């Protein structure tokens, strides 16, 4: 493995855009099983932190990073330049519309859905190659519930899900304090080959 | 990345030996930053699940897996054969004694210490190369507390720690139930280069 | 407070019936705000542990404990006798049918719904007095999601929810091990007065 | 129970002083088993939120609230006035010194120790009546570790501990988001009668 996944959060440029934390990126990428030639679509890419780590894995492939907020769209490009991942293509737009015309993908990551998750899952299913992996991260009850019920109904997929709750231990003087991060649900869907 | 980290738990052969769960293996390996030529020492290797994933990353390197229980020692070899990781060397014995004569390491993983953590950390420090990574996983208050206080005192190391609590979502009929795994603390110590 | 809430789990008689753990009972009872003369309905009462603690609080009131499994129905009576709570009335049956003919309630607790949560919530709303409290505990994504979306739509209720994850610390030899209990969601709905 | 434990956090006056959250107050009070005539000592009382709920339970008893920060000392009195708990006595000072001359107690709560936990535990043991309860809440590895090892060595006490991690569900538009609170460890020590 030339690329060692798990870039520290502090190395990414970010404004006020929420960023997936290091531990969640690591687990998402591992469950995505990205190969060096893969085509990856990252929906709701935010600061691009996940897209960039994906691009370092898919180094002969490409990562299409879709983000509807102009601030995020700019940050993706700033971060892609910083990490020299020329294979990241940022696109400004909202899914599912922004998915039109995209190539078939080996991996689709969904980190944000703007309330249109069922439509996005329908489009993602069409774009995802046989044997591909669809990974949804959820921070709301609605995304968790919709993702599970929608994907469990699709017979072509095996679905497994977990909640990951990370508590950072922060040094404060001579003490080590427990500082919780928000829990994240990861729903991993493998499409049959 | 030829090897995609995150082998499902069910693929490892295990008896009654406790096994580090997939999500924790993934995070431990990512924080260890294992390179393809690295020498890795896995102390308290249990079933060998972590050793084997480490060996797949250090494919031109070697992994020395130390385990004091004969059942675990056997399972490490069974699993190494199953995953064809010829670069895993199982050793029956307890640390710190079993660390005598080992080569300098790029990465040391400590998953079990049999109540001798301070002595083991002292030996590990001597074995770890400059720039190396020492990763301790803790499932008891004592291991967490000792690892943090011992390693924070060593000026050559930067230490960061977190607790990871994974809740699996298990399908039971039409329902998706929350099933907690035990929390694990991961203490990652980077030695200055 | 004559009754001190928080009877240890081990004091209840239980068979193979799942039992709400002490910490969750305490939080459920506190959020229910049970007064000494209250009428309480406990739907899906299981072993009766929650009913009995509710009955100790509503000592001049009554607790109607509904359980569809005969084993649970028997255990409720065994536990009510053990704790001398004559104001617990066990009823064998499944909600919503078993709710027919029940008196108006100050507090309704829902610990199990057998897949009929929307119907049960509709009946519970009719039974609950103005100013009453409806507390739902959820161990599945579906119960959490349905309870939240159903109750948030009812303008007569203020709804607040949380997840509680308890990790017991268990002494094993000289060590204190972290042992996770499954997380539980508590949805507390206060009806306007 | 005239007093229903579980005052919402928002009803307490607070400045920049950290406040024990509602769910943790509830569990601490339940594990403390406060009777109506009890004498309670609250060490590191902060805003006084726990002292005030304790005083509502010990309504014929008294609660001595010790706080070393003047801002907290003032807030305790403001909150005691707001909730009309005349039986709360705020004392400005740091434990263990501030414990000198205090009466024997049925319940001692330790929410802050300023790095002097071993000394405070020694004094608390002397102040605590046979059959009394000592409850320590910990937000650092050091407090958790010290409290457990110190109290487990005292043969007069039975000790049980747990970690409580509450995640609030917060309505954001049409979504219910998971928002983690920091985990708290509760160490409950019952002194033999």
């Amino acid at each position: 493995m030339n690329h060692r996944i798990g870039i520290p959060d502090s190395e990414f440029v970010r404004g006020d855009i929420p960023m997936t934390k290091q531990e969640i990126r690591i687990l998402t990428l591992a469950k995505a099983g990205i190969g060096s030639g893969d085509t990856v679509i990252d929906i709701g890419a935010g600061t691009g932190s996940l897209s960039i780590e994906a691009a370092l894995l898919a180094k002969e492939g490409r990562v299409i990073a879709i983000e509807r907020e102009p601030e995020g769209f700019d940050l993706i490009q700033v971060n892609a330049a910083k990490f020299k991942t020329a294979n990241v293509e940022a696109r400004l737009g909202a899914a599912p519309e922004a998915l039109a015309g995209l190539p078939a993908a080996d991996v689709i990551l969904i980190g944000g859905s703007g309330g249109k998750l069922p439509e996005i899952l329908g489009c993602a299913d069409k774009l995802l190659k046989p044997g591909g992996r669809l990974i949804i991260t959820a921070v709301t009850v609605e995304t968790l519930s919709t993702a599970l019920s929608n994907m469990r109904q699709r017979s072509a997929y095996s679905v497994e899900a977990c909640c990951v709750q990370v508590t950072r231990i922060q040094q404060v003087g001579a003490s080590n304090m427990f500082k919780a991060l928000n829990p994240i649900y990861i729903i991993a869907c493998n499409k049959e080959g």
Side-chain angles (χ1 to χ4, degrees), chain A residues 5-120:
Chain A
I5 60 174
I7 297 173
D9 293 342
S10 57
E11 296 193 17
F12 291 100
V13 181
R14 53 188 293 205
D16 297 327
I17 298 288
M19 187 174 76
T20 309
K21 296 293 184 301
Q22 186 206 43
E23 289 85 0
I24 305 301
R25 279 201 310 278
I26 291 169
L27 289 170
T28 301
L29 292 166
K31 287 177 187 281
I34 297 173
S36 59
D38 280 358
T39 296
V40 178
I41 301 174
D42 183 7
I43 301 173
T47 60
S49 60
L50 195 55
S51 293
I52 279 144
E53 294 225 58
L56 291 167
L57 294 169
K59 49 183 176 293
E60 294 143 41
R62 59 194 288 210
V63 178
I64 300 163
I66 295 169
E67 173 55 39
R68 62 176 181 172
E69 298 291 340
E71 186 184 355
F73 173 71
D74 290 346
L75 284 172
I76 295 167
Q77 295 171 86
V78 168
N79 280 311
K82 176 171 182 186
F83 289 94
K84 299 184 173 47
T85 49
N87 54 340
V88 172
E89 307 160 36
R91 303 211 179 178
L92 181 63
E97 295 75 16
L99 301 175
L102 293 193
D106 300 280
V107 170
I108 300 179
L109 309 171
I110 304 182
S113 59
K116 296 197 171 167
L117 187 57
E119 298 85 338
I120 294 173

Side-chain angles (χ1 to χ4, degrees), chain A residues 129-192:
Chain A
K129 296 180 188 172
R133 287 83 59 205
L134 169 62
I135 316 286
I136 304 142
T137 48
V139 296
T140 69
V141 176
E142 289 70 24
T143 300
L144 168 64
S145 167
T146 301
L148 274 175
S149 66
N150 186 303
M151 295 307 299
R152 291 252 199 245
Q153 284 167 18
R154 298 175 186 270
S155 60
Y157 290 84
S158 67
V159 177
E160 57 160 51
C162 69
C163 175
V164 181
Q165 168 106 53
V166 173
T167 300
R168 294 266 172 84
I169 294 184
Q170 192 176 309
Q171 203 172 4
V172 178
S175 296
N176 287 285
M177 295 194 73
F178 302 107
K179 291 286 175 187
L181 302 183
N182 290 330
I184 309 263
Y185 287 82
I186 302 175
I187 302 105
C189 312
N190 291 328
K191 193 172 190 174
E192 64 189 18

